[in-house]
């Protein structure tokens, strides 16, 4: 490709860089427009009590509904939004939308369920973060006991010391805290003990090969026992097969989430599902 260029390789590289910069600027403009034009949408994936088989909560998962490109999954724009800082207004929108939704369910007489919201590392670097959460809780009027904030284990690993006081402040607002993708990040058990968390979410990577992968069985059981011993609730994510669910239930896991129960749903589909019992 470079040979087709008549200029020097230096010229070629700077052209390439320009193209990359241009692409990123285009993406940034499109993402800003998406925010202005309500093209961001929350999908909701049910969390199910493994014993009783009822829906006990949902995880809010963002999608970008692009009129030209269709539904864009979070991994295709959240990392970019984190680099540019756009993640801050996006995260605010996610939190506000999720909290309003819980209030709406309460007002329309539906049984309230817990809503889990994914946080980004960038929010923890924002000095206004905790007071923003407090503001959203207050102006939506949501009871914080229905709000769960998810942070990934890898976020913790990167800046545990900075995050710890913020986690305590969040906790004081009455929300619950979950560690997402747990087991992949090698967090120290000593730290885990200090942290004001309520939930461990077993990473999908371990659930995938249950009940056949011997190591995965051992690791999953260990995480479940660890959670129990620390008085935490434990959620397994990425459950696709009934055998995985059985193994997890028999190992004492409280809550399951995955395609076996439901894919992430639009608000309309979730509300329909909530008004009917689960099949099976
Ligand atoms: P996560 O928080 O670990 O969310 C779970 C992901 O696993 C979701 O992908 C979900 O659709 C997918 N999943 C659920 N059950 C199954 C299953 O049975 N099998 C398989 N193969 N996958 C399953 P999604 O929605 O694409 O989100 C990916 C990641 O993007 C999330 O991982 C989270 O880290 C991030 N994310 C999503 N929404 C937000 C948001 O509002 N804010 C921030 N900061 N990050 C978000
Ligand atoms: Mg999550
Ligand atoms: Mg996860
Ligand atoms: Mg995950």
């Amino acid at each position: 490709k470079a040979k087709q260029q008549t200029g020097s390789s230096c010229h070629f590289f700077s052209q390439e860089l320009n193209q990359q910069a241009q692409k990123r600027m285009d993406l940034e403009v499109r993402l800003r427009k998406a925010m202005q034009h309500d093209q961001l949408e929350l999908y909701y994936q049910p969390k199910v009590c493994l014993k009783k088989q009822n829906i006990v909560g949902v995880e809010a998962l963002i999608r970008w509904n692009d009129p030209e490109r269709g539904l864009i999954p979070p991994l295709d724009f959240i990392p970019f939004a984190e680099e540019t800082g756009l993640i801050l207004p996006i995260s605010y929108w996610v939190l506000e939308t999720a909290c309003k939704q819980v209030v709406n369910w309460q007002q329309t007489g539906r049984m309230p369920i817990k809503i889990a919201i994914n946080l980004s590392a960038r929010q923890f670097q924002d000095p206004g973060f905790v007071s923003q959460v407090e503001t959203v809780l207050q102006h939506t009027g949501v009871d914080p006991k229905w709000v769960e904030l998810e942070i990934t284990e890898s976020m913790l690993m990167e800046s545990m010391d900075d995050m710890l006081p913020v986690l305590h402040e969040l906790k004081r607002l009455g929300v619950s805290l979950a560690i997402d993708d747990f087991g992949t990040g090698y967090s120290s058990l000593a730290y885990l003990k200090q942290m004001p968390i309520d939930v461990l979410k077993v990473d999908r990577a371990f659930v995938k090969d249950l009940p056949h992968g011997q190591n995965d069985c051992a690791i999953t059981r260990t995480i479940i026992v660890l959670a129990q011993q620390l008085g935490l609730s434990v959620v397994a994510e990425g459950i696709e097969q009934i055998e995985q669910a059985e193994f997890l239930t028999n190992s004492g896991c409280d809550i399951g989430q995955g395609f076996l129960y439901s894919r992430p749903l639009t608000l309309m589909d979730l509300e329909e599902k909530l008004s009917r019992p689960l099949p099976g």
Side-chain angles (χ1 to χ4, degrees):
K1 190 176 168 198
K3 278 183 193 148
Q4 291 167 2
Q5 306 273 332
T6 46
S8 68
S9 64
C10 210
H11 177 233
F12 168 72
F13 281 121
S14 78
Q15 230 181 20
E16 179 96 327
L17 278 178
N18 275 336
Q19 276 173 8
Q20 267 181 25
Q22 189 59 48
K23 264 196 181 159
R24 295 176 59 80
M25 266 167 54
D26 290 347
L27 182 57
E28 185 166 348
V29 169
R30 281 175 47 227
L31 190 50
R32 281 184 190 280
K33 276 202 188 132
M35 292 166 65
Q36 283 161 11
H37 294 99
D38 295 329
Q39 289 169 8
L40 299 182
E41 186 175 354
L42 288 187
Y43 274 52
Y44 301 89
Q45 187 177 36
K47 292 187 184 179
V48 174
C49 168
L50 290 173
K51 262 201 209 117
K52 296 192 215 148
Q53 297 278 304
N54 60 326
I55 297 175
V56 292
V58 290
E59 177 173 6
L61 295 159
I62 198 170
R63 305 285 182 262
W64 173 1
N65 230 324
D66 188 290
E68 281 156 38
R69 289 161 220 238
L71 211 57
I72 304 176
L75 295 181
D76 289 357
F77 67 95
I78 291 290
F80 173 78
E82 283 174 336
E83 282 170 42
T84 56
L86 281 175
I87 191 66
L88 294 180
I90 290 176
S91 300
Y92 188 88
W93 176 84
V94 170
L95 180 69
E96 191 180 42
T97 306
C99 290
K100 280 182 182 164
Q101 197 49 64
V102 177
V103 172
N104 177 276
W105 286 330
Q106 238 159 346
Q107 285 171 346
T108 53
R110 196 181 291 282
M111 269 277 287
I113 49 172
K114 250 193 175 178
I115 203 157
I117 296 156
N118 292 285
L119 299 182
S120 144
R122 276 296 282 266
Q123 294 175 273
F124 285 84
Q125 292 154 14
D126 174 8
F129 172 48
V130 175
S131 66
Q132 266 182 11
V133 174
E134 188 172 19
T135 304
V136 172
L137 294 176
Q138 276 170 1
H139 88 77
T140 58
V142 70
D143 183 338
K145 78 172 177 202
W146 300 114
V147 178
E148 187 165 284
L149 303 178
E150 296 190 359
I151 49 169
T152 64
E153 190 184 28
S154 56
M155 274 164 67
L156 279 171
M157 290 307 89
E158 254 166 52
S159 51
M160 175 85 72
D161 292 326
D162 297 333
M163 282 174 76
L164 195 57
V166 183
L167 293 175
H168 279 284
E169 286 176 51
L170 288 172
K171 194 63 201 159
R172 235 179 291 136
L173 301 178
V175 299
S176 46
L177 300 175
I179 304 188
D180 203 352
D181 304 342
F182 187 78
T184 54
Y186 319 102
S187 58
S188 109
L189 297 181
Y191 264 130
L192 204 56
K193 212 183 74 181
Q194 291 179 37
M195 284 196 317
I197 49 161
D198 307 277
V199 181
L200 290 185
K201 289 189 79 176
V202 181
D203 193 78
R204 192 165 82 221
F206 303 115
V207 174
K208 200 167 61 86
D209 295 322
L210 300 179
H212 306 293
Q214 273 189 25
N215 291 339
D216 292 325
C217 287
I219 293 168
T220 306
R221 279 212 189 97
T222 304
I223 296 175
I224 294 168
V225 171
L226 175 68
Q228 287 169 343
Q229 295 290 313
L230 291 172
L232 309 175
S233 126
V234 54
V235 178
E237 65 177 11
I239 303 177
E240 295 183 358
Q241 287 151 17
I242 190 85
E243 294 78 20
Q244 298 167 335
E246 280 166 3
F247 177 89
L248 288 159
T249 311
N250 293 334
S251 306
C253 182
D254 307 308
I255 295 170
Q257 184 182 347
F259 296 168
L260 175 66
Y261 304 104
S262 170
R263 291 188 173 259
L265 302 169
T266 62
L267 177 61
M268 227 176 73
D269 288 344
L270 173 72
E271 290 187 337
E272 204 207 278
K273 200 170 187 95
L274 286 174
S275 61
R276 288 181 291 116
L278 280 177

